[in-house]
Amino acid sequence: MKKTLVAAAILGLGLSAAHAQEVVKIGGAAPLTGTIAHLGKDLENGARLALEEANARGVTIGGKPVKLEFMGEDDQADPRTGTTVAQRLVDAGVKAVVGHLNSGTSIPASRIYHQAGIAQITPASTNPKLTQQKYPGVFRTIANDVQQGSVLGKFAVESLGAKKIAIIDDRTAYGQGLADETEKAAKSAGAQIVAREFTTDKATDFNSILTKIRSANPDVIFFGGMDAQAGPMLRQFKQLGITAKFLSGDGSCSPEMIKLAGDAIGANAYCSMAGLPIEKMPGGADFRARYKKRFNADVQIYSPYAYDAATAIITAMEKAGSAEPSKYLPELKKVNFDGVIGNISFDDKGDLKQGSITVYQFKDGAWVPL
Amino acid sequence: MDAETLQQLINGLVIGSVYALIALGYTMVYGILGLINFAHGDVLMVGAMTALQTMLFLMGVAPGMSPVAMLTLALLVAIPVSMLIGYTMERLAYRRLRNAPRLAPLITAIGMSFLLQTLAMIIWGRNYHTFPQLISTTPLQPVEGVFVTPVQIVIIVVSALLMIGLTLLVNRSRIGRAMRATAENHRTASLMGVDTNAVIAFTFIIGAGLAAVAGVMYASNYGIAHYGMGFMPGLKAFTAAVLGGIGNLGGAMLGGIVLGLVESFGAGYIERLTFGFLNSSYQDIFAFIILGLVLIFRPTGLLGERVSDRA
């Protein structure tokens, strides 16, 4: 009895080795339902495309041909769901994860990936806290808010010629962090901060703080927060006769913002987003064509970053000759290649070394890159 | 008075009159039933969303309609819908709990608030909606450096008219006398031939109608609407009602205006008043500090609570 079992086991092993290629699973997590589902799907498709192209070219890890398999999960942009799907990915044995989209989901999920010892590369979350946790497996292929804030502060002073700047933030981790970084950069570029005011991410009335700011007569008013506040805020600019330029970060750099601001938005509104518009990426045009052919859809925002994130993982695994996190993580820290978005290499915290920021201006009903 | 002070005064009066209008709904219901109707803020939201829906519909079928006519029609739909919601809440939930311990209707009111918000979320989604600003928001400059928009003037005027109208209704009309009698003593009033059920239902209906108007004005002023928009103004208006003396109509009006002014001046001057120790992130706390102080020295609010002896 024992003998037959052993024999069957050996037979089975032989069979599986002969038949199936070794499979390495790579996870993806992003909101696939809800208001930003289109962006989540975009992210997932970027990672999927990288894996499929690598498979078509043939992946060899440690001398053995390997098939990469993608496993995508829906985190609903919700922190709690984010940790649930993170655990599901870990339980399914993924060797690395591309995701999540929101900082609010990336940060809690990063702990689960860290405990499992696997790599997480986010192509979208910009909050500095994510990499400040110093988890060795966390990376991002997009500029963080420290980088964004320093570009915004410099832009206000050098490009918009602002001497006096007023700053408002919504007291969230994102808004406050971005506002602090912008303030620092603007000050060191030589501007004077004439007012620092606060609101909340649920407020709709900014008349009192704007009235106060108006008396200080700033050239530029910066807002660290989301489009749902920035829209009404711009309307109140108009109602209070404020003519200062309005500058904000990626949270207010959306088509939604244009809709909510109505007729109060004009060429005095500027915002920034991490990354480059796809036309300006080194591999942008080619990527867009390949993406369109595969998914019959247009690139939204994050797919090029996700593509590069997945490529970084594959490159590190091939170099290390192993899909085991303990083996490939040191290689991932050292990757250095030219991806779709530009050079991909990480600093010691896991942030992109050459993260770029683009500033947009409102023109003819849309955000136009400057 | 310099331009900044004058501007803060206008800011405070505008938001204060909206608070006052909402606070009337809280205070009327409290005066008669001793119930704090926490779903009142959400009735405001229903009013605004219904008006939005109506406007979008009208823009689709009659794009050339004049803004004033469109706004009037939107109000003519929003007010009855909100009244219906107010009446339904009273009929289905609160009436059955009228003799229950006080905690039961209070918790039911919170439940009603959740229910309305969730229903609105299902119907209109989670997104923010642009609310058509049919009254001009291009500011006028009556004094150099002081800006006021036509919509803000309309808000102040309409609120004042509605408050005067309500005061006349309660003090001069037959149904007003019935309302006062019911507030005085529920049971005695009914022995005197007052149909107290009808009076209470009427109170809810009037309050909901005022909330609908407040909601439309609120959304018109800020240009946005969404399913959770009733929560904050509801909470603030409740504070205003307590500040003025809950159950007291004049108190609700005064409380609303005072709260609006305190908030506005608080946010504008708190940093200078405390020499930089506190800043505008404490603007809400400032309003509640005033509330706390008033309640310590005048526990029944500025104008005194109308204490009904049946509570």
Side-chain angles (χ1 to χ4, degrees), chain A residues 174-187:
Chain A
Y174 161 73
Q176 197 179 343
L178 188 61
D180 287 345
E181 294 304 327
T182 308
E183 178 173 350
K184 251 189 259 167
K187 263 188 192 157

Side-chain angles (χ1 to χ4, degrees), chain A residues 11 14 42 48 55 68 73 78 102 110 118 149 199 235 346:
Chain A
L11 196 67
D42 182 51
R48 198 186 285 276
N55 279 334
L68 299 170
E73 288 286 341
D78 173 57
N102 311 72
S110 64
I118 65 174
T199 180
R235 285 179 192 257
F346 302 109

Side-chain angles (χ1 to χ4, degrees), chain A residues 194-198 209 212, chain B residues 265-282 286:
Chain A
V194 290
R196 179 76 204 250
E197 297 296 330
F198 309 92
I209 57 173
K212 189 182 166 202
Chain B
F265 282 102
Y269 290 94
I270 191 168
E271 204 172 342
R272 277 166 272 181
L273 283 176
T274 58
F275 303 102
F277 179 65
L278 295 177
N279 54 40
S280 57
S281 56
Y282 294 94
F286 205 69

Side-chain angles (χ1 to χ4, degrees), chain A residues 197 205 211-212 214-215 235, chain B residues 4 11 133 145 222 271 280:
Chain A
E197 297 296 330
D205 188 309
T211 299
K212 189 182 166 202
R214 194 182 67 190
S215 312
R235 285 179 192 257
Chain B
E4 187 182 346
N11 295 342
Q133 292 181 310
Y222 299 116
E271 204 172 342
S280 57

Side-chain angles (χ1 to χ4, degrees), chain A residues 35 171 196-202 204-209 211-212 214-215 228-229 231-232 235-236 238-242 256 259-260 262-263, chain B residues 3-4 7-8 11 15 127-131 133 137-139 145-147 149 152 218 221-224 263-264 267-268 271-272 279-281 283:
Chain A
T35 54
R171 301 269 93 179
R196 179 76 204 250
E197 297 296 330
F198 309 92
T199 180
T200 70
D201 57 348
K202 290 173 190 68
T204 39
D205 188 309
F206 313 101
N207 282 309
S208 331
I209 57 173
T211 299
K212 189 182 166 202
R214 194 182 67 190
S215 312
Q229 273 69 47
R235 285 179 192 257
Q236 288 161 44
K238 184 185 155 199
Q239 294 178 9
L240 287 168
I242 296 176
E256 187 77 1
K259 208 180 89 193
L260 292 177
D263 61 351
Chain B
E4 187 182 346
Q7 184 75 62
Q8 295 290 22
N11 295 342
I15 190 72
N127 285 0
Y128 284 77
H129 298 271
T130 318
F131 196 88
Q133 292 181 310
T137 53
T138 311
V146 178
F147 293 78
T149 63
Q152 289 171 327
Y218 192 79
N221 191 26
Y222 299 116
I224 59 170
E263 269 191 5
S264 175
E271 204 172 342
R272 277 166 272 181
N279 54 40
S280 57
S281 56
Q283 58 178 306

